Amino acid sequence: MSSESEKDKERLVQAAKTFFFHMQDLASFTNALTELFNSSMNTQILLMTVKEDGNVKDVFEQMLKIFKEMQSAVAAKQDKLQSEPLSSKIATAMCSVVEKGSSVKELQQSAKEMFKHVHTPVIVSVLNSGNILESLESSLSALLKYPIMNLQLSDFCRKDTKEQSDATTSEKSPRPGPSKDTTIDALKKLQVALNTENAKDTIESAADQMEQIVKTMGPILEILQKAIKTMETKFSVFKKAKN
């Protein structure tokens, strides 16, 4: 095999391994976002479950389902806020407290009760800024068009038995790479899945496509990370202000 082919094979292996780790990160970030969303919006959206013997398509479809459920919850919350503005709620509640001739302490307690759920729209504003959910849906839909959707995650990278054992004995073990046998098997499957008609070099073509897929996943990870960080910051500020 020529040096060019060896180089393309290495590119394909590295892109496949990066894809595998990106998929793990996507699942982790999506679940982190879902947990924040559930706690803030009082929803019960199920977290993702990712198995190495599961298809890539299944993972992306789980994510799409989660983001669609979030969109529905956000839309419902916005409709409710528009139909019953917060200012109206506060005015009505304050009038009721005053009419009852409540003391200053009782007034303060009532105000606390009224404002304890004011943070809920925070997540709505964060997700709506930059159309986060729509952007995530669009990017995932684009990824679903690639010809690797029916491959299993284990086709991209698989932990060896020895590596799994080592990982349990070391807290800071690096992420394991694919075994030699797995790499050969994965290369064959990837080349078949990514084979394009009239491609002069199937390895080079497969490597190019795999790198493009990884590149497409980058912005999705960035959007999720930014959304999670923004929400955590805003919730922290709100809690301090409330206390």
Side-chain angles (χ1 to χ4, degrees):
M1 187 176 283
S2 68
S3 59
E4 285 291 324
S5 296
E6 284 291 345
K7 184 178 179 181
D8 290 330
K9 184 173 77 171
E10 180 60 26
R11 284 172 55 216
L12 180 56
V13 170
Q14 290 302 317
K17 189 162 67 170
T18 302
F19 175 84
F20 178 85
F21 294 141
H22 275 3
M23 290 295 284
Q24 290 184 323
D25 289 338
L26 279 174
S28 177
F29 293 155
T30 299
N31 282 340
L33 179 64
T34 304
E35 287 177 339
L36 280 171
F37 191 92
N38 283 338
S39 65
S40 303
M41 299 286 283
N42 197 28
T43 51
Q44 294 182 330
I45 298 174
L46 296 178
L47 300 182
M48 290 183 64
T49 54
V50 178
K51 299 178 180 178
E52 288 188 25
D53 60 353
N55 290 346
V56 173
K57 184 179 180 181
D58 293 338
V59 178
F60 285 135
E61 287 184 339
Q62 278 190 72
M63 292 180 68
L64 275 173
K65 184 175 183 291
I66 287 172
F67 296 144
K68 285 182 183 297
E69 288 182 19
M70 286 183 181
Q71 278 188 309
S72 296
V74 166
K77 174 61 67 176
Q78 287 179 311
D79 289 342
K80 186 176 180 181
L81 289 173
Q82 288 172 359
S83 64
E84 192 177 2
L86 182 62
S87 56
S88 176
K89 288 183 185 178
I90 294 174
T92 302
M94 291 299 287
C95 285
S96 175
V97 170
V98 172
E99 285 174 2
K100 290 177 181 178
S102 302
S103 65
V104 173
K105 187 176 181 180
E106 289 173 326
L107 185 62
Q108 288 176 334
Q109 185 58 39
S110 297
K112 255 188 175 181
E113 288 298 313
M114 283 188 287
F115 283 103
K116 69 179 180 180
H117 295 303
V118 174
H119 75 286
T120 300
V122 168
I123 198 167
V124 176
S125 64
V126 171
L127 292 176
N128 281 340
S129 63
N131 297 318
I132 288 176
L133 292 176
E134 289 84 352
S135 296
L136 289 170
E137 272 198 55
S138 177
S139 298
L140 286 173
S141 296
L143 281 169
L144 280 167
K145 295 177 182 178
Y146 283 102
I148 60 169
M149 292 300 111
N150 291 325
L151 293 180
Q152 295 180 338
L153 288 180
S154 56
D155 291 329
F156 297 87
C157 182
R158 183 181 296 147
K159 296 177 182 179
D160 290 336
T161 303
K162 180 179 182 300
E163 287 171 329
Q164 287 179 327
S165 175
D166 291 344
T168 59
T169 58
S170 175
E171 293 183 0
K172 297 184 179 180
S173 295
R175 284 173 162 175
S179 67
K180 185 176 181 180
D181 291 339
T182 302
T183 300
I184 294 172
D185 183 50
L187 280 174
K188 290 178 180 177
K189 289 185 178 182
L190 285 170
Q191 279 184 257
V192 171
L194 295 167
N195 187 31
T196 55
E197 294 182 8
N198 302 319
K200 293 181 179 179
D201 190 327
T202 56
I203 297 180
E204 181 182 9
S205 175
D208 289 342
Q209 287 190 73
M210 201 65 235
E211 287 177 345
Q212 181 57 46
I213 293 170
V214 169
K215 185 178 180 181
T216 304
M217 295 172 78
I220 302 178
L221 288 167
E222 290 175 8
I223 290 172
L224 284 170
Q225 282 181 300
K226 185 176 180 181
I228 292 168
K229 185 177 181 180
T230 301
M231 278 186 269
E232 288 177 338
T233 300
K234 286 182 177 291
F235 293 153
S236 176
V237 170
F238 177 84
K239 283 180 181 179
K240 288 179 181 178
K242 195 171 86 168
N243 294 333

